Amino acid sequence: MIELPLAAPPDVVNVGVGIHGVRSLRDVFRLPDLWQLHLYSYSAELTVDGTTYAVAPGYVSLTPAGAQVQFDYRGRSEHLYVHFRPAAVGEPSYLPVVQDAGAAAPVLADLLRSALESSPSGSARVTAEVWTALWRIAELGSSSSAEDATHPAVSAAIAYIEANLAQPLTIPALARMAGVSHNHLTRLFHAETGLTVIAYIRQRRMTRALHLLVSSTLSIPAVAASVGIPDLQAFNKTCRRELGGSPRAVRNAVAGTTPAG
């Protein structure tokens, strides 16, 4: 297990797509002062300070600064990566070096691609996306047993919702993606989560909105668009109902603790 402080946002140095295994099937390197996050779309072996782990599509790894890393590829291999420095404050989270992200893999991929498309690397938007991804990784272990008990159609729908909060989401489209009927997904979803599909989507959008309002300097219209509610009047109304105040009031309420961008 590794210790990763997550109480404050990290210093994100670089986000990118790595393509390896073309010229050489082995890479060996060490980053003296940077942590590494990798999200894999291939199978390979990862060795960190002498311990070897198998990685596969949908797996995620966290490597502390200063660790010697060796990758043994099986061919052309592409992954998403982040190089960062954790903020050395607060109690650390304890995480395995390698985990199977399971249904959360599309969510993590969406967050990292969003960070990659934002610029520059140290911007508040990039920091917010990476910080969210790190928290999702930290929560994988605690949520694994619940996920194992979830119906596959519900798991697929939830993963799709999480990865596409900024896009229009409809129950018929989710049902087609999950391979079940509209009515069957509705029944399964309520049985598994206690919520309707629409209520779940609204809850997840507002949880994400709260995070962005608190931990980023994105404008309120940008936050609204990022959670799929671009109509500012509708966003304001939903914030008041779900978060207890207008977007500006929510942001101002925690202004004293909001991290700098």
Side-chain angles (χ1 to χ4, degrees), residues 55-205:
V55 299
Y59 278 47
V60 63
S61 68
L62 285 164
T63 307
Q68 178 168 297
V69 177
Q70 176 177 305
F71 281 99
D72 288 290
Y73 307 106
R74 301 177 186 176
R76 186 182 186 279
S77 303
E78 182 176 315
H79 57 234
L80 292 163
Y81 71 87
V82 181
H83 297 159
F84 67 98
R85 298 183 185 91
V89 296
E91 292 295 321
S93 295
Y94 295 87
L95 295 84
V97 173
V98 173
Q99 297 185 77
D100 180 357
V107 182
L108 296 174
D110 181 64
L111 288 167
L112 297 185
R113 290 193 186 100
S114 179
L116 176 60
E117 292 165 1
S118 304
S119 62
S121 292
S123 71
R125 175 64 180 269
V126 173
T127 299
E129 302 286 14
V130 171
W131 195 18
T132 301
L134 290 171
W135 270 113
R136 290 304 300 263
I137 293 168
E139 293 167 353
L140 287 176
S142 61
S143 61
S144 59
S145 60
E147 289 177 355
D148 290 343
T150 302
H151 190 284
V154 177
S155 293
I158 287 174
Y160 188 85
I161 290 168
E162 295 288 348
N164 293 276
L165 285 176
Q167 307 303 320
L169 293 167
T170 66
I171 299 176
L174 287 169
R176 286 194 299 271
M177 182 278 307
V180 295
S181 71
H182 176 295
N183 290 337
H184 192 40
L185 178 64
T186 300
R187 288 193 296 269
L188 286 172
F189 211 94
H190 191 271
E192 296 276 358
T193 68
L195 297 171
T196 65
V197 179
I198 296 302
Y200 182 87
I201 292 171
R202 182 172 61 247
Q203 180 186 85
R204 295 304 304 143
R205 280 177 165 158

Side-chain angles (χ1 to χ4, degrees), residues 216-233:
S216 82
T217 55
L218 285 176
S219 67
I220 289 172
V223 172
S226 295
V227 299
I229 314 176
D231 183 311
L232 287 180
Q233 185 175 358

